[in-house]
Amino acid sequence: LPRIAVLISPNLRDRNISFISIWNPTFLSILLEIFDKRQKELIMDIERGTLSSNLKLENGLRKKLEIYLKKDKKRAYEISRIVVEQHQAKSLYELLLPQLQMISCWTDAHANDYLYTIRDLFPHVEIQGKGLIATEGIISFPLFGEKAPILAINSHFYEFISITTGEIKLAHELIQHQKYGVVITTGGGLYRYQLHDLVEVVGFKEQAPLLKFIGKQDHISDLFGEKINALTVADIFKKLLEKHRIHSTFYMLAPQNQDKKTFYTIYLQSQKKYPKKSLIRFRDDFEKELRKNFHYDYCRKIHQLYHLQLFSIEADAYTVYIKTHREHNYKVGNIKPLVLGKDFAWSKKFRGGFVE
């Protein structure tokens, strides 16, 4: 991740930044974590108008970036002073960016579980969700003072499939607290395209529905016919983390192969160390919830799948998660925290061990 440090220096140079737009809420915390580790180096770059030689950059890219960098001893001194005085009441980063008014990022579905990463860093800054933005078109956008983004009624023609009845509804027929799959028809010729995005109607602004993004309907793990859905997994995590009073900083379910056996594993990093018995009870309750799914239960009965396991992550879960996706050519800002993974090798990547 060292190359990402290139993004930090230009932004810290300007104390007048008032708006930050990112996709993943964890991306900003990753940038600031790099600042924590490279403070002196980055401050020196600002003072000298340079990019550190420790940053692995192609020569052509380095020259293009350095054209826009200017020496700023005054700003470098200001940052150094603030870092020393971080014992003050305000957040360190709010002191570094005193004009920052708003951060725009994903706030719904699994991304909501990671909002604390920027709320802790910017406790007095407004955090606004982006709404539902698909490659195929805009579905909703945020409004100040509303509890969810509003349907972009002037952008496209929308239809909604009820997940309870299967009926197709138009925007004016939607019912509050009901969940729907989104179908879009665009002026560009895309006709009745199912996005497989699930939304919940949480209210109305005049007659336009306010829509909360719940997750992807088609995110399924299906190795042997078990048909585990990410939405179901998210609900189980939410229910059981609360029941067992486990405060997690990262969680995910993913398949695992070991000793010629296939099973699912809970990957869990928590804010504090929990007793082994507590984690085992959490794991066993999770297994009971999964077995309410007929298909998963059948795979368990005929030993296509073996008992659910729990892998306790010691530290740096999300950093490892980001690094692994980067190795597969994902752009950092586009990497989404997923509650249901499909990679088999996570136990070899995270630092920690199975709880037995």
Side-chain angles (χ1 to χ4, degrees), residues 136 161 181-184 191-197 217-218:
E136 296 78 11
I161 304 173
V182 181
V183 180
I184 185 173
Y191 180 70
R192 303 193 82 186
Y193 182 81
Q194 290 194 47
L195 295 174
H196 299 291
D197 288 329
Q217 287 178 292
D218 60 344

Side-chain angles (χ1 to χ4, degrees), residues 276-291:
K276 178 180 175 181
K277 289 182 179 178
S278 298
L279 295 177
I280 289 175
R281 282 196 296 268
F282 174 79
R283 179 200 68 190
D284 291 345
D285 278 356
F286 206 108
E287 170 80 340
K288 289 175 184 176
E289 292 292 331
L290 286 177
R291 294 194 76 156

